[in-house]
Amino acid sequence: MYRFPIGVILESFRTDRSTAIRQAAAMGAQGIQMYATYGENAPENLTAAARRALLDEVKSAGLVFSALCGDLGRGFGNKELNPELIEKSKRILDLAKDLETDIVTTHIGVVPTDPTEERYKIMQEACYELSRYADSVGAHFAIETGPETAVTLKGFLDALGSRGVAVNLDPANLRMVLGDDPVQAVYTLRDYIVHTSPKTADCCIKPSPNISTASRLCRRNCGVSNCLRRCRWAPVRWTSPTTLRRWRTSAIGASSPSSARWGIPPPRISKRLLIS
């Protein structure tokens, strides 16, 4: 059996950063992910001293940064916007390194199925530049799965000739958006997976008032358990915490993410996700 460490997203707690860090630690998480695209956590708003203080705060709570979220909401399909978006993405990656994580998760837009499309070429050029920068600092921009099939995404990544732009595996997205097989996707993308962020019940199936039941159904319907098993067998070169997303905090209070234990009530989550 392998026990996957569990991570959580700070913004899910709907409170200030320091309180969210304490709550994540109190729940039993090992890793955290935070948005670094706006506000106090954006690179331009964190001085070197502030970065050291934040890292110390996280470490003092017994946590690590599993990744930063660097999704700027525009993708990389617009040639005119790309220079600014690329530079900001690089600064977010610099921040990630200062916070001792090598991963920035992001969306690049929908990869066209036809490599001859102009948009495909524009996205390739942007991702080529991002991948080389990530390679130079020993890090990864991790594309979230789902907008396109795993096969299409793999073809796009193969053409880059780098793991600087890699994969953030979200089994639910693959199932929901295109009906792609998330378990097979692990095999298809195994050379690129560096992070996982499975969603919980609300986005996988019809919401249920019984959160624990809904969470178990999500786990089965979206293939989370099988995906994580394949991540151990593929093999996949990835060991960072599995970051849980989209908790139904409104149902039980913002301080207690509801689905984090997949069937075991809050306020504490399992130390690790056990996969046999």
Side-chain angles (χ1 to χ4, degrees):
M1 290 188 178
Y2 181 79
R3 294 178 180 269
F4 281 84
I6 296 294
V8 292
I9 293 180
L10 284 187
E11 285 74 13
S12 297
F13 292 91
R14 302 177 188 177
T15 186
D16 64 274
R17 187 178 68 197
S18 292
T19 301
I21 290 169
R22 292 194 298 271
Q23 290 179 349
M27 290 176 62
Q30 289 79 56
I32 57 173
Q33 182 178 0
M34 73 177 189
Y35 280 79
T37 55
Y38 61 90
E40 65 175 341
N41 298 328
E44 62 270 20
N45 296 327
L46 281 170
T47 64
R51 296 178 188 200
R52 290 193 296 270
L54 173 56
L55 181 60
D56 182 65
E57 182 179 11
V58 169
K59 286 184 171 181
S60 296
L63 300 168
V64 299
F65 280 101
S66 63
L68 297 185
C69 179
D71 180 12
L72 297 171
R74 298 292 187 91
F76 293 96
N78 187 315
K79 195 168 188 176
E80 286 69 38
L81 295 178
N82 279 352
E84 180 181 353
L85 296 173
I86 289 169
E87 286 307 309
K88 183 153 190 178
S89 295
K90 290 178 180 178
R91 302 293 76 80
I92 294 172
L93 193 64
D94 293 340
L95 173 60
K97 295 295 290 186
D98 286 343
L99 297 177
E100 298 185 359
T101 179
D102 296 331
I103 299 168
V104 170
T105 62
T106 190
H107 289 269
I108 64 169
V110 181
V111 176
T113 56
D114 183 359
T116 65
E117 282 192 29
E118 183 64 21
R119 191 166 181 271
Y120 192 102
K121 296 176 182 177
I122 292 170
M123 294 172 69
Q124 275 272 302
E125 289 173 0
C127 288
Y128 182 88
E129 183 173 347
L130 290 172
S131 70
R132 269 46 188 181
Y133 187 78
D135 285 340
S136 73
V137 297
H140 308 278
F141 290 101
I143 301 170
E144 187 169 317
T145 55
E148 60 285 308
T149 66
V151 170
T152 297
L153 180 57
K154 182 180 186 300
F156 182 88
L157 295 173
D158 285 347
L160 296 175
S162 164
R163 291 182 77 246
V165 171
V167 168
N168 174 31
L169 181 72
D170 185 333
N173 269 3
L174 287 162
R175 178 75 77 191
M176 289 187 301
V177 179
L178 294 172
D180 204 6
D181 181 350
V183 178
Q184 181 58 43
V186 175
Y187 286 103
T188 302
L189 297 168
R190 63 185 178 274
D191 293 331
Y192 298 106
I193 297 172
V194 296
H195 191 266
T196 60
S197 55
K199 294 181 177 68
T200 51
D202 293 33
C203 55
C204 301
I205 58 172
K206 183 178 179 180
S208 167
N210 184 328
I211 296 170
S212 295
T213 299
S215 299
R216 287 194 293 268
L217 286 170
C218 170
R219 190 178 180 186
R220 182 180 70 244
N221 290 356
C222 293
V224 172
S225 295
N226 285 336
C227 281
L228 294 177
R229 286 192 185 96
R230 297 309 186 273
C231 282
R232 300 307 304 166
W233 297 345
V236 174
R237 292 171 288 182
W238 154 75
T239 57
S240 66
T242 295
T243 303
L244 304 180
R245 303 172 57 198
R246 296 195 183 179
W247 305 324
R248 290 187 63 188
T249 50
S250 60
I252 58 171
S255 64
S256 301
S258 62
S259 302
R261 289 193 76 173
W262 276 320
I264 304 176
R268 288 191 58 81
I269 62 176
S270 301
K271 281 288 186 181
R272 293 173 184 265
L273 176 61
L274 182 63
I275 297 295
S276 59

